[in-house]
Amino acid sequence: MRKEIDGVIYDTATSVIDKKFTYGAPGDPYGYEETLYITGDGRYFIYTYGGAKSKYPTENVTPIVREDVKYWMLSH
């Protein structure tokens, strides 16, 4: 997924996965994934996507500052 936010391009195809959390089994309508990416210039973002009845029924990208990455990881 590629998304521009505040003039910055966040692209899952050109960024590196740092951490991924998966909830539920494949095909589970309540299951979802949260994936932390790092861009080539060191920006972090979270890609989310899930089943139709999950908290992420559509894919999305959310920027996250480096200082908050630790807290995001600890919340899983």
Side-chain angles (χ1 to χ4, degrees):
M1 175 180 197
R2 179 183 160 100
K3 186 173 183 179
E4 183 176 345
I5 301 171
D6 296 330
V8 177
I9 301 294
Y10 297 93
D11 191 343
T12 58
T14 60
S15 300
V16 177
I17 294 175
D18 186 11
K19 188 70 175 172
K20 183 175 191 174
F21 294 99
T22 303
Y23 302 91
D28 178 358
Y30 294 95
Y32 61 91
E33 295 181 350
E34 296 179 345
T35 308
L36 178 68
Y37 282 87
I38 305 171
T39 66
D41 63 352
R43 296 176 189 263
Y44 289 87
F45 67 95
I46 300 169
Y47 168 78
T48 53
Y49 186 63
K53 296 182 179 184
S54 74
K55 66 182 191 177
Y56 304 116
T58 58
E59 64 181 341
N60 195 28
V61 165
T62 305
I64 184 171
V65 295
R66 182 183 179 111
E67 294 78 17
D68 290 340
V69 168
K70 175 180 163 183
Y71 301 109
W72 176 80
M73 285 191 189
L74 292 173
S75 71
H76 291 84

